[in-house]
């Protein structure tokens, strides 16, 4: 992973970690259920953005490298790997 992407992902994950701690506190404090569910949705959205950033970096680095290498087996493997992770993400 490129340094700039790694730093960005790290910052985002730190914020998400704080959101999750906040969720735990909300539960402990018996906050209104809809407020908790709303915050859960916000955490999911933030995780999706991190996932997108990591996948974009993967395509820009790993998949691009496989294509440039000319190695057909590596190209097929990287594309299959990418399709599998995208398929899992859509569930």
């Amino acid at each position: 992973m490129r340094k700039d992407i790694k730093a960005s992902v790290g910052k985002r994950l730190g914020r998400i970690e704080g959101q999750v701690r906040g969720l735990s506190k909300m539960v402990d404090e018996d906050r209104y259920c809809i407020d908790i569910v709303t915050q859960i949705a916000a955490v999911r959205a933030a995780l999706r953005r991190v996932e997108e950033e990591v996948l974009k970096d993967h395509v820009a680095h790993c998949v691009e490298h496989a294509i440039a290498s000319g190695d057909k087996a590596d190209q097929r493997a990287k594309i299959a790997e990418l399709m599998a992770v995208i398929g899992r993400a859509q569930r």
Side-chain angles (χ1 to χ4, degrees):
M1 189 178 296
R2 293 185 335 234
K3 280 185 179 182
D4 60 328
I5 299 300
K6 188 174 184 176
S8 174
V9 165
K11 286 179 187 176
R12 286 176 184 257
L13 288 173
R15 286 193 297 272
I16 292 167
E17 183 179 7
Q19 286 179 292
V20 172
R21 278 194 306 273
L23 274 168
S24 182
K25 185 177 177 183
M26 290 174 79
V27 170
D28 288 345
E29 294 173 351
D30 291 322
R31 296 278 299 272
Y32 186 56
C33 297
I34 297 301
D35 292 342
I36 294 169
V37 171
T38 299
Q39 288 306 309
I40 291 170
V43 169
R44 281 191 187 138
L47 283 169
R48 277 192 301 275
R49 287 190 296 274
V50 169
E51 180 182 40
E52 288 170 8
E53 193 167 356
V54 171
L55 280 173
K56 283 179 187 177
D57 185 65
H58 176 69
V59 170
H61 181 259
C62 300
V63 175
E64 183 178 303
H65 177 42
I67 291 168
S69 75
D71 181 342
K72 297 291 184 196
D74 192 30
Q75 291 169 359
R76 282 190 289 277
K78 291 293 186 224
I79 297 298
E81 179 181 66
L82 185 59
M83 295 307 295
V85 78
I86 289 170
R88 285 192 305 267
Q90 292 179 346
R91 291 183 200 151

